[in-house]
Amino acid sequence: QVQLVESGGGLVQPGGSLRLSCAASGSISSIYDMGWYRQAPGKQRELVATTTSGGNLMYADSVKGRFTISRDNAKNTVYLQMNSLKSEDTAVYYCKVTGVRVMMGYFEVWGQGTLVTVSS
């Protein structure tokens, strides 16, 4: 079984920064894509940023230039550095990881979510 543990959410003032982390553990053979999604109250979950095993990065237009996704393959961990935060960034942030489990094939796992609140 593969598990994700997220951390780093919290309350921050507009213009501030936060760094989210998501660590994958379990019987992992390899990891493909790692990404961050968010869901604001009353809205659908949306993609924030993703990174592939080949190093390709993709960002939502709303966070380009402010957020940076990175991964540490040795630690099976993905990060989201969020700068210049705005009130509209307030949401529950979820990480998603895809890959292959040892002798068990493909997996897709979501984290439990971490709340980011941007408010003065």
Side-chain angles (χ1 to χ4, degrees):
Q1 190 171 0
V2 177
Q3 295 179 329
L4 303 181
V5 176
E6 299 180 23
S7 61
L11 173 64
V12 63
Q13 292 186 341
S17 298
L18 280 176
R19 188 192 193 206
L20 306 182
S21 299
C22 174
S25 63
S27 56
I28 298 171
S29 176
S30 61
I31 290 181
Y32 298 155
D33 298 344
M34 307 182 86
W36 290 95
Y37 296 73
R38 67 186 181 187
Q39 187 166 18
K43 295 187 177 181
Q44 291 188 330
R45 190 173 298 187
E46 63 177 1
L47 181 147
V48 176
T50 62
T51 171
T52 70
S53 58
N56 293 319
L57 308 178
M58 184 169 64
Y59 295 93
D61 288 343
S62 59
V63 307
K64 283 180 181 177
R66 301 188 297 121
F67 291 10
T68 302
I69 189 170
S70 61
R71 60 194 282 173
D72 184 334
N73 291 324
K75 297 181 178 179
N76 289 339
T77 299
V78 61
Y79 305 95
L80 186 68
Q81 178 66 44
M82 304 185 294
N83 299 329
S84 303
L85 282 160
K86 306 175 181 180
S87 58
E88 51 263 44
D89 295 317
T90 295
V92 177
Y93 284 71
Y94 300 89
C95 67
K96 187 179 82 169
V97 175
T98 64
V100 178
R101 293 168 58 187
V102 176
M103 299 184 68
M104 293 293 290
Y106 177 82
F107 72 85
E108 177 181 300
V109 179
W110 287 86
Q112 79 281 5
T114 185
L115 178 62
V116 171
T117 303
V118 184
S119 175
S120 55

